[in-house]
Amino acid sequence: MLHTVILKLNDSLNSDVWSKWFHLLELEKQNKIKTLRFADDRLRCLAAGILLRSMLFNHCQVLPSELVFSTNEKGKPFLVSHPELFFNLSHSGDYVCCSLSSSPVGVDIEKMETLDIESIASYFSIHEKKYICSKDTEQEHLDAFYSLWTLKEAFSKYIGSGLSIPLDTYSFFLNKKKFLFPPN
């Protein structure tokens, strides 16, 4: 089982709705949101938390106020009453995404923006750098970069390591039909 939902946010969330949703989150999540500097980041984090709780309610029939989360030895959260369920969140730009699965899962979304590929090349293996540089146009460079970046981030979330494993220590090889993950 794998369910993934992507929501597009808008900035018309009024304070009454914000307050109602905010109070559905556990205190630790509320405190995390309060520490975020920018309103857009607070909105994305809140929306991702509510999306997760909604999906968990639909799947497990557990009310958001009754959900209890804990973390494993690597710090990855899980639902105490249903440790056989796995979930992962991502948010970027105007979107939030949540995947709920019966096996470990990692998800990443990114708002595609123009960036200096050279300045971030250190995040990629030699094979991946060659793949990105082999593209002809700036848009193809960006597409290649974001394809690899989201794979790497989703993979690190899938294995539960976050970004503690250097991204340049493993490679994804992309072609039109599949991607491969052999060791460097």
Side-chain angles (χ1 to χ4, degrees):
M1 175 264 316
L2 173 65
H3 297 286
T4 299
V5 174
I6 300 173
L7 290 179
K8 185 173 189 327
L9 305 176
N10 65 45
D11 54 2
S12 64
L13 186 66
N14 67 42
S15 61
D16 291 337
V17 174
W18 172 276
S19 179
K20 181 180 177 181
W21 286 7
F22 186 76
H23 287 82
L24 289 174
L25 304 177
E26 68 278 3
L27 189 58
E28 184 179 325
K29 187 72 166 179
Q30 290 177 11
N31 289 335
K32 178 185 176 185
I33 291 172
K34 287 178 185 177
T35 66
L36 298 174
R37 183 175 177 190
F38 299 106
D40 288 349
D41 292 333
R42 292 189 296 272
L43 175 60
R44 282 188 287 270
C45 194
L46 171 66
I50 296 302
L51 176 58
L52 170 63
R53 283 147 186 82
S54 173
M55 291 177 69
L56 288 171
F57 172 75
N58 289 333
H59 187 78
C60 307
Q61 304 301 305
V62 178
L63 293 173
S65 61
E66 297 172 356
L67 296 172
V68 177
F69 296 94
S70 188
T71 55
N72 67 16
E73 65 282 350
K74 293 182 179 179
K76 190 168 182 165
F78 65 91
L79 182 60
V80 172
S81 62
H82 292 76
E84 75 285 358
L85 283 178
F86 299 86
F87 57 86
N88 198 240
L89 300 168
S90 184
H91 42 79
S92 182
D94 294 334
Y95 294 89
V96 296
C97 178
C98 179
S99 286
L100 182 63
S101 178
S102 55
S103 60
V105 64
V107 64
D108 186 51
I109 58 174
E110 296 292 334
K111 179 179 180 182
M112 290 180 67
E113 299 177 324
T114 302
L115 43 87
D116 178 15
I117 300 290
E118 294 295 321
S119 67
I120 53 176
S122 64
Y123 293 111
F124 294 99
S125 70
I126 293 168
H127 304 289
E128 292 166 335
K129 290 176 200 172
K130 287 179 185 177
Y131 174 76
I132 293 169
C133 292
S134 73
K135 302 304 175 185
D136 295 326
T137 67
E138 183 177 337
Q139 185 60 50
E140 289 173 335
H141 284 129
L142 284 174
D143 290 345
F145 164 79
Y146 281 108
S147 292
L148 288 167
W149 182 262
T150 54
L151 271 172
K152 284 175 141 345
E153 192 158 335
F155 178 75
S156 67
K157 292 164 84 175
Y158 161 77
I159 61 174
S161 70
L163 296 177
S164 65
I165 297 174
L167 298 176
D168 64 343
T169 61
Y170 60 92
S171 297
F172 284 102
F173 294 84
L174 304 175
N175 70 29
K176 293 181 182 179
K177 297 181 183 176
K178 61 183 174 183
F179 67 90
L180 304 172
F181 176 69
N184 270 350

